[in-house]
C-alpha cells in the first residue's frame, strides 16, 4: 500500500513514501513486493519500479472505462505495460 486512506488514482507520491517502499522491498526479499493504491499511470509505475516487483492498478482502469470506452482502458493498460518494460 503506497498511501493511507481510500483507494483511487493519485497525482504523485512523496519521496518519503517511495523510501518506505524501498525499505520494505529490501527487507522482505522472501516474498514479492507489489505496490497498489494510487497507481494511475506510467509515472506511478516508473516511481515504484526500482523499489518493488510490480504494481497493482484498479481504480484508474475502472475510471477510464467509465469516462471513455474499452479502447481508452486498453490504451491505459498499454501505457502501464510499456512503463513496466522500460
Amino acid at each position: 500500500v503506497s498511501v493511507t486512506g481510500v483507494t483511487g488514482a493519485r497525482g504523485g507520491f512523496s519521496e518519503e513514501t517511495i523510501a518506505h517502499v524501498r525499505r520494505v522491498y529490501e527487507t522482505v526479499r522472501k516474498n514479492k513486493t507489489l505496490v497498489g493504491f494510487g497507481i494511475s499511470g506510467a509515472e506511478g509505475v516508473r516511481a515504484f519500479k526500482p523499489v518493488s516487483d510490480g504494481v497493482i492498478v484498479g481504480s484508474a482502469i475502472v475510471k477510464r472505462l467509465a469516462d471513455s470506452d474499452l479502447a481508452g482502458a486498453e490504451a491505459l493498460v498499454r501505457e502501464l505495460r510499456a512503463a513496466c518494460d522500460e
Side-chain angles (χ1 to χ4, degrees):
V1 176
S2 58
V3 294
T4 58
V6 297
T7 63
R10 301 280 191 283
F13 301 93
S14 71
E15 288 299 318
E16 180 182 340
T17 297
I18 293 170
H20 174 73
V21 172
R22 177 178 282 115
R23 285 190 303 276
V24 170
Y25 180 60
E26 292 171 351
T27 302
V28 186
R29 300 303 251 159
K30 178 179 159 185
N31 298 310
K32 296 290 184 186
T33 302
L34 303 173
V35 179
F37 275 45
I39 309 297
S40 60
E43 289 305 312
V45 172
R46 289 185 195 103
F48 288 105
K49 183 178 175 184
V51 299
S52 69
D53 294 302
V55 296
I56 301 165
V57 180
S59 298
I61 295 170
V62 171
K63 183 174 182 346
R64 185 68 66 96
L65 282 168
D67 293 347
S68 175
D69 57 12
L70 183 58
E74 288 173 339
L76 174 61
V77 171
R78 280 192 295 277
E79 171 190 330
L80 297 167
R81 179 58 202 224
C84 289
D85 291 339
E86 290 177 354

